[in-house]
């Protein structure tokens, strides 16, 4: 798994800057095919790190729709979500987090857009290996009826693999969006 993660991270990093912009814009087009957002929804995004596909066009679209957007913040070995504001600080991994008073748990989100390192046709994902999202979303495995948040993975097409080895703690995604497909 470690070798696969390294290979996929390198593929992601090898994408040139102009293609990155083009692919990020295509992500928004794909999302608009399946999305129907409502004003009172709470949606979490992420700030791209280590070559992840940039959700900035999705963020701008959501802002223009008046939808509350959040970013993950570290909370021990899991995540909470802070409303995006103007002030940020870097966490222990050097990733910016909002400094905000409006902090919520994952189960209070309607939609959670997640970065990933790799994915397969069954909507399984591998992340960076820290397990933060899986620990944060463990409640979804225990409560089969927990419909929120809807989990949407965002990735480049080159991150798809034939089949991932699934672990018992892995939380599958509801949807995966790439520049060319919606799974």
């Amino acid at each position: 798994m470690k070798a696969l993660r390294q290979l996929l991270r390198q593929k992601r990093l090898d994408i040139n800057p102009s293609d990155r912009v083009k692919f990020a814009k295509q992500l928004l087009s794909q999302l608009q095919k399946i999305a129907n957002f409502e004003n009172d929804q709470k949606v979490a995004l992420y700030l791209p790190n280590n070559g992840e596909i940039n959700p900035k066009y999705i963020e701008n679209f959501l802002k223009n729709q008046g939808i509350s957007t959040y970013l993950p913040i570290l909370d021990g070995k899991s995540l909470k979500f802070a409303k995006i504001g103007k002030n940020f600080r870097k966490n222990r991994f050097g990733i910016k987090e909002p400094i905000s008073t409006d902090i919520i748990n994952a189960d209070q989100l309607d939609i959670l857009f997640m970065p990933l390192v790799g994915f397969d046709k069954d909507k399984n994902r591998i992340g960076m290996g820290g397990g933060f999202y899986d620990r944060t979303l463990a409640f979804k495995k225990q409560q089969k009826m927990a419909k929120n948040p809807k989990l949407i993975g965002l990735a480049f097409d080159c991150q798809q693999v034939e089949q991932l080895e699934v672990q018992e703690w892995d939380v599958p995604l509801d949807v995966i969006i790439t520049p060319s497909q919606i799974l």
Side-chain angles (χ1 to χ4, degrees), residues 82-176:
K83 194 166 189 172
I84 297 176
K86 299 211 182 310
N87 299 314
F88 293 84
R89 69 167 175 255
K90 288 189 176 182
N91 66 22
R92 66 180 186 260
F93 298 111
I95 300 168
K96 286 185 184 176
E97 297 180 338
I99 301 169
S100 170
T101 54
D102 188 10
I103 296 174
I104 61 175
N105 293 317
D107 62 356
Q108 294 172 278
L109 291 168
D110 295 290
I111 300 170
L112 172 52
F113 289 102
M114 300 166 60
L116 43 91
V117 171
F119 67 95
D120 65 19
K121 65 187 178 328
D122 298 320
K123 299 181 203 140
N124 296 306
R125 74 179 277 278
I126 55 170
M128 296 291 278
F132 289 94
Y133 280 102
D134 287 321
R135 278 190 290 277
T136 301
L137 299 167
F139 70 92
K140 286 195 58 107
K141 289 193 76 89
Q142 289 139 14
Q143 305 165 9
K144 297 287 184 214
M145 301 307 288
K147 73 176 183 64
N148 283 351
K150 183 173 188 173
L151 305 178
I152 302 176
L154 302 177
F156 295 106
D157 291 292
C158 67
Q159 294 174 255
Q160 185 167 2
V161 297
E162 188 60 37
Q163 181 106 47
L164 286 173
E165 187 180 321
V166 179
Q167 306 297 328
E168 65 187 55
W169 57 81
D170 289 339
V171 179
L173 301 173
D174 297 305
V175 177
I176 295 175

Side-chain angles (χ1 to χ4, degrees), residues 9-156:
R9 284 173 68 181
Q10 191 57 53
K11 276 186 172 185
R12 197 171 68 178
L13 287 167
D14 288 344
I15 297 168
N16 73 51
S18 62
D19 282 344
R20 287 182 172 284
V21 171
K22 179 177 77 173
F23 293 150
K25 288 178 180 174
Q26 289 172 345
L27 261 195
L28 175 58
S29 298
Q30 293 285 56
L31 175 65
Q32 288 172 320
K33 292 176 186 175
I34 62 166
N36 48 353
F37 294 101
E38 296 168 24
N39 282 358
D40 60 346
Q41 286 182 316
K42 293 180 172 88
V43 178
L45 294 152
Y46 60 89
L47 294 176
N49 181 46
N50 195 252
E52 293 164 345
I53 196 161
N54 194 334
K56 72 180 176 185
Y57 299 103
I58 294 171
E59 180 184 354
N60 292 339
F61 171 77
L62 295 172
K63 257 187 219 167
N64 291 336
Q65 301 290 311
I67 293 168
S68 297
T69 52
Y70 294 76
L71 289 173
I73 59 171
L74 293 178
D75 182 42
K77 291 190 174 221
S78 60
L79 302 168
K80 290 202 183 285
F81 297 86
K83 194 166 189 172
I84 297 176
K86 299 211 182 310
N87 299 314
F88 293 84
R89 69 167 175 255
K90 288 189 176 182
N91 66 22
R92 66 180 186 260
F93 298 111
I95 300 168
K96 286 185 184 176
E97 297 180 338
I99 301 169
S100 170
T101 54
D102 188 10
I103 296 174
I104 61 175
N105 293 317
D107 62 356
Q108 294 172 278
L109 291 168
D110 295 290
I111 300 170
L112 172 52
F113 289 102
M114 300 166 60
L116 43 91
V117 171
F119 67 95
D120 65 19
K121 65 187 178 328
D122 298 320
K123 299 181 203 140
N124 296 306
R125 74 179 277 278
I126 55 170
M128 296 291 278
F132 289 94
Y133 280 102
D134 287 321
R135 278 190 290 277
T136 301
L137 299 167
F139 70 92
K140 286 195 58 107
K141 289 193 76 89
Q142 289 139 14
Q143 305 165 9
K144 297 287 184 214
M145 301 307 288
K147 73 176 183 64
N148 283 351
K150 183 173 188 173
L151 305 178
I152 302 176
L154 302 177
F156 295 106

